[in-house]
Amino acid sequence: MRAIGGLWRWRHNPLCRPTDLAEAWTALAGLLLILTAAPLVGALVGVSAQESLQRSVLEQHESRHRVTATVVRPLERPPLTVDPEGASGGDLRSRVLADWTAPDGSRHEGSLMASLDDPAPGDHFAIWTDGQGRTVARPLDAATATTHAVLAGIGAGSVAAALVEAGRRIAVRRMVHRRYARLEQEWERAGPDWGRTGADS
């Protein structure tokens, strides 16, 4: 920001080196890109992710069905098990042998994790299946999909801003190296006489 402010002050300053102005213009260009291009990239990625995720939500809701399963008998309870797809992520689960009817009318039986504290034969609980009755994960909901899309957009915008800043730093670093290289060359040319200026030797 100091370099950007210096653009105005250095316009007619005789002590201003061309590299000073180049650094300030590079900083200004980087700031403008961060303020315009990074949000644009984030918005484009977010919109694209939102469209893709909402399509997935529709597909999952069309292909997955909520059915009611009935506990046949409880199975040996494992140590605390958490459903990673669950809404709260902290629902305690019990392993049970259950049966259910698929949307196509076929009957199924298998070992499932039930969201029941103390399952007993005949208890009912909801599960998600595909059309043939195979158990599947809960479908993604629209709000969660939107949250993922927003996070993708923010991440893409942040990465774009970081890349612009990295490019600016690399450009300024190269300018500084060139400046020092020119200074070294000038110093070598003037170096042998620098301590004897005006001397009679």
Side-chain angles (χ1 to χ4, degrees):
M1 291 304 289
R2 281 195 318 259
I4 293 170
L7 274 174
W8 183 258
R9 289 193 313 268
W10 292 341
R11 287 179 308 146
H12 304 297
N13 188 335
L15 298 177
C16 178
R17 298 169 295 193
T19 54
D20 294 328
L21 281 176
E23 285 179 32
W25 281 113
T26 302
L28 179 60
L31 178 64
L32 291 176
L33 283 172
I34 287 172
L35 293 177
T36 57
L40 181 62
V41 168
L44 291 174
V45 169
V47 167
S48 175
Q50 172 74 342
E51 290 172 357
S52 176
L53 287 169
Q54 291 302 333
R55 273 196 305 274
S56 293
V57 167
L58 288 175
E59 289 169 6
Q60 288 183 12
H61 279 277
E62 288 173 3
S63 64
R64 300 180 186 189
H65 308 277
R66 185 180 172 108
V67 299
T68 301
T70 304
V71 175
V72 175
R73 62 182 168 84
L75 298 176
E76 183 181 335
R77 187 180 191 124
L80 297 177
T81 306
V82 177
D83 176 15
E85 302 269 343
S88 67
D91 298 335
L92 294 180
R93 299 294 176 133
S94 304
R95 183 169 292 284
V96 298
L97 180 66
D99 62 11
W100 64 93
T101 303
D104 64 1
S106 59
R107 303 271 304 163
H108 297 269
E109 184 174 283
S111 172
L112 299 174
M113 299 302 292
S115 55
L116 300 170
D117 290 333
D118 190 19
D123 286 349
H124 300 290
F125 61 97
I127 61 170
W128 289 92
T129 70
D130 62 12
Q132 290 74 44
R134 293 184 295 264
T135 56
V136 294
R138 176 183 306 179
L140 186 66
D141 62 273
T144 303
T146 299
T147 301
H148 290 323
V150 168
L151 291 175
I154 290 172
S158 300
V159 168
L163 288 174
V164 168
E165 176 61 13
R168 184 198 68 80
R169 286 176 182 258
I170 290 169
V172 168
R173 186 175 186 149
R174 291 185 68 149
M175 286 184 223
V176 169
H177 281 301
R178 277 196 217 115
R179 182 192 306 156
Y180 285 146
R182 283 196 301 269
L183 184 62
E184 288 272 334
Q185 291 169 357
E186 292 296 323
W187 188 252
E188 284 176 8
R189 262 190 297 230
D193 296 332
W194 71 272
R196 296 191 297 250
T197 304
D200 290 333
S201 58

